[in-house]
Amino acid sequence: MEIQQYEISTILTQLISSDQAYHYRIIPIEEVDNLWIFKTDSVQKEILSQELAIVFGKEIKLEIVDSDKIQRYLEINYRKRERISQQKSLHYSEDFLMNIIYEAKEIGSSDIHFEIFEKQARVRLRIDGKLIERYVISLDEYPKIINRIKIMSSLDISEKRLPQDGRINLRTSQEDFDIRVSSLPTLYGEKLVLRILSKNNILFSLDNLGFTDEEIKTYITAVQKPSGIILISGPTGSGKTTTLYATLKLLNSNDANILTIEDPIEYTLEGVNQVQLKQNIGLDFASTLRTFLRQDPDIIMVGEIRDVDTANMAIRASLTGHLVLSTIHTNSAWATVSRLIDMGIPSFLIASTLNVSVAQRLVRKLCNNCKRSQADVNLNLDAVQELSKIDFHYEAVGCPSCYQTGYQGRKAVYEIIPITEELVKSIENKNVEIYDYLKKNNIATLKSNMIALVKQGITSIEEVYPFLIS
């Protein structure tokens, strides 16, 4: 099914609420002056037209289409929610802003983007790693919404020239969650991104992140050593922080002093001493690590190794008997070693302190309700030899459960390389080619794990293909 042919513009979708769309089984397809034109599958066309005219105060024209088509329109363009909103207008109010936040939380969105351009502003939600436009807002209303968010997150509403970071805490009857707020001055005004951070500790478990049985044994063995460095690599948004927090949760105990320096603090963990980075007053990773060493720590977590000073301090901390966990931006687990050498860290120090190097990515999982086996694919599989050997695979189809996207949720894919005596020698000799070693020791790579997920029917070739050719 081609989703594009059923998509309608954001301006049209926000004419009516999700509840109204499903209740009346109507889809707005055009707005002309005071006339609203809808598609519907109702057999009582005249009665429905009259009722809608009263409800919306507009002249209504209905076009009858097949019931299956209406259902697809509804599933693709309107997501059902548990919490029924009473907000019917897109004009600013505090209720409207909270409606956006709760809607994003309920449908599993990780981020809310408020963006302004020359002629209009919009709100987009990131769901399973993909941005979806949800609302269009007038230029007059946009500043009111931005100011309200800045007040809620304790940001300076008078400062519009510099980026700012803040935090909002919200409580519902079901859950207590935080929202990380980041403002950025752009050409036409401020762009705000709200990151939704759940406080549900069930999420932070190594068992449900995506490790294979062999990988989790290897990883836990490495993190339970009393000293050394654990490094996790991957691009922004690949789940590195979640893996770190799950690791801290495992290591957190009454007899361990755990200190973290983060930018920003994404989740709060009871029993862990967390420090927020503040570059403007000199509280950076390297200087904080120096202070940490005088705080009698057992375990130290550094949000990210960005420069040689931070890398040197992390090495020093691990050499003096501490376990250090951190992230770094590289393309693979072994590339982390090359990156540290390029930063000027002596190879013998890397060899003597690195316990394990981890790389990870996030891939979308196929919806179990609608995925189907498929033999052919519209991609150049010769570019990835292993994919061309797969006899059949599963493809994304789309159904009500996944809102016709074909995918539901995401899964982390890992590459875990424990540093053995053989690899210590490779690091000391600055040998960056270890493909034969990985193959000989049956160590799964990001590539092999992604291909395994395709064979198992957990994800599709289309989903992993961009990772495999990069």
Side-chain angles (χ1 to χ4, degrees):
M1 182 199 70
E2 290 292 331
I3 288 181
Q4 288 78 7
Q5 66 181 319
Y6 289 97
E7 288 178 337
I8 57 177
S9 72
T10 307
I11 293 175
L12 288 174
T13 58
Q14 64 190 33
L15 291 178
I16 61 174
S17 69
S18 175
D19 300 317
Q20 290 168 334
Y22 277 95
H23 177 72
Y24 294 110
R25 294 189 64 80
I26 53 175
I27 290 293
I29 59 169
E30 195 173 352
E31 180 184 17
V32 184
D33 297 327
N34 201 46
L35 171 67
W36 284 6
I37 305 172
F38 292 96
K39 289 182 185 289
T40 184
D41 58 358
S42 174
V43 293
Q44 297 180 313
K45 180 179 176 181
E46 296 304 322
I47 296 175
L48 181 58
S49 295
Q50 293 171 10
E51 184 174 344
L52 293 177
I54 295 171
V55 171
F56 298 119
K58 302 282 184 180
E59 184 182 349
I60 304 295
K61 179 182 176 182
L62 298 179
E63 295 182 2
I64 305 295
V65 297
D66 182 78
S67 184
D68 288 342
K69 287 188 176 181
I70 286 294
Q71 188 62 30
R72 287 183 176 179
Y73 272 114
L74 290 170
E75 290 163 1
I76 291 171
N77 296 283
Y78 291 98
R79 296 202 173 207
K80 283 186 174 179
R81 300 176 51 199
E82 297 173 5
R83 182 177 180 269
I84 298 175
S85 169
Q86 299 302 315
Q87 182 68 22
K88 298 296 190 290
S89 167
L90 280 180
H91 292 293
Y92 169 73
S93 75
E94 186 172 343
D95 286 342
F96 170 58
L97 174 58
M98 297 310 296
N99 184 51
I100 294 176
I101 293 173
Y102 285 123
E103 175 187 9
K105 182 73 175 67
E106 287 169 15
I107 64 177
S109 173
S110 60
D111 300 87
I112 310 171
H113 291 242
F114 292 85
E115 302 166 305
I116 185 167
F117 303 99
E118 183 179 7
K119 296 181 180 178
Q120 67 181 23
R122 68 180 178 183
V123 179
R124 292 192 293 171
L125 305 180
R126 187 176 293 280
I127 303 171
D128 288 340
K130 304 293 182 181
L131 279 171
I132 298 171
E133 188 174 274
R134 185 65 185 91
Y135 296 104
V136 172
I137 304 172
S138 72
L139 297 181
D140 293 335
E141 305 292 343
Y142 186 79
K144 301 176 188 176
I145 296 175
I146 296 303
N147 284 340
R148 179 58 191 161
I149 297 172
K150 292 175 77 173
I151 290 170
M152 291 172 66
S153 55
S154 302
L155 299 183
D156 183 358
I157 63 172
S158 65
E159 180 56 80
K160 304 180 187 299
R161 303 164 300 167
L162 296 172
Q164 297 185 74
D165 292 303
R167 203 176 188 91
I168 301 171
N169 177 255
L170 292 175
R171 286 182 173 87
T172 67
S173 56
Q174 290 84 27
E175 191 177 358
D176 178 10
F177 64 96
D178 284 339
I179 298 174
R180 191 183 80 202
V181 179
S182 173
S183 74
L184 178 71
T186 65
L187 179 60
Y188 297 106
E190 290 181 280
K191 169 185 168 69
L192 259 64
V193 175
L194 279 60
R195 167 67 59 89
I196 299 172
L197 306 169
S198 175
K199 289 186 176 180
N200 188 347
N201 283 334
I202 296 174
L203 297 174
F204 306 133
S205 172
L206 292 174
D207 295 328
N208 56 25
L209 293 184
F211 290 103
T212 64
D213 291 341
E214 191 62 36
E215 286 171 343
I216 198 165
K217 288 178 186 175
T218 302
Y219 184 70
I220 290 177
T221 299
V223 300
Q224 287 182 333
K225 291 182 179 180
S227 63
I229 298 180
I230 312 295
L231 287 179
I232 303 176
S233 68
T236 301
S238 59
K240 302 186 299 295
T241 304
T242 300
T243 302
L244 279 181
Y245 277 109
T247 306
L248 288 180
K249 184 183 175 186
L250 173 73
L251 299 174
N252 192 10
S253 63
N254 288 333
D255 60 357
N257 179 22
I258 302 177
L259 301 174
T260 76
I261 172 68
E262 305 170 57
D263 182 27
I265 296 172
E266 295 201 8
Y267 302 96
T268 55
L269 292 175
E270 189 70 29
V272 176
N273 303 283
Q274 297 172 267
V275 178
Q276 168 68 55
L277 188 80
K278 294 179 181 176
Q279 294 272 20
N280 58 330
I281 60 171
L283 188 65
D284 56 18
F285 284 127
S287 63
T288 306
L289 270 172
R290 291 188 189 95
T291 305
F292 277 4
L293 294 179
R294 297 191 290 272
Q295 287 284 318
D296 186 31
D298 296 296
I299 300 165
I300 296 172
M301 194 267 270
V302 184
E304 183 183 345
I305 291 180
R306 297 175 180 171
D307 52 49
V308 65
D309 288 340
T310 306
N312 275 321
M313 285 306 303
I315 292 284
R316 178 182 165 188
S318 63
L319 282 172
T320 52
H322 307 97
L323 183 67
V324 180
L325 295 85
S326 190
T327 69
I328 192 168
H329 285 284
T330 59
N331 290 327
S332 67
W334 190 246
T336 296
V337 175
S338 302
R339 173 80 176 118
L340 291 173
I341 292 173
D342 290 342
M343 291 173 74
I345 308 299
S347 58
F348 71 91
L349 286 181
I350 301 171
S352 60
T353 56
L354 189 61
N355 290 352
V356 66
S357 184
V358 180
Q360 73 177 86
R361 299 291 188 276
L362 286 178
V363 297
R364 291 185 295 168
K365 296 189 295 183
L366 285 166
C367 174
N368 286 324
N369 294 315
C370 64
K371 67 180 182 182
R372 68 182 175 203
S373 59
Q374 177 74 12
D376 301 319
V377 64
N378 253 345
L379 292 169
N380 177 22
L381 296 185
D382 291 335
V384 185
Q385 202 171 26
E386 293 86 348
L387 286 179
S388 61
K389 297 175 182 176
I390 298 176
D391 295 329
F392 79 95
H393 61 96
Y394 287 88
E395 66 172 354
V397 179
C399 70
S401 295
C402 61
Y403 305 103
Q404 298 295 342
T405 63
Y407 296 94
Q408 203 167 38
R410 290 190 291 175
K411 182 182 181 68
V413 182
Y414 290 94
E415 176 179 295
I416 299 179
I417 302 179
I419 307 304
T420 61
E421 288 297 325
E422 188 174 343
L423 287 183
V424 165
K425 293 178 182 177
S426 295
I427 295 172
E428 289 174 341
N429 296 327
K430 299 182 181 180
N431 176 20
V432 295
E433 296 298 330
I434 62 162
Y435 176 77
D436 291 338
Y437 171 86
L438 297 179
K439 191 173 181 180
K440 181 179 72 175
N441 290 276
N442 294 318
I443 295 176
T445 62
L446 285 171
K447 186 175 182 179
S448 64
N449 275 334
M450 287 187 184
I451 292 170
L453 291 181
V454 172
K455 290 179 177 178
Q456 294 163 19
I458 294 172
T459 192
S460 66
I461 286 180
E462 288 82 0
E463 177 67 11
V464 303
Y465 188 77
F467 295 105
L468 299 180
I469 62 172
S470 60

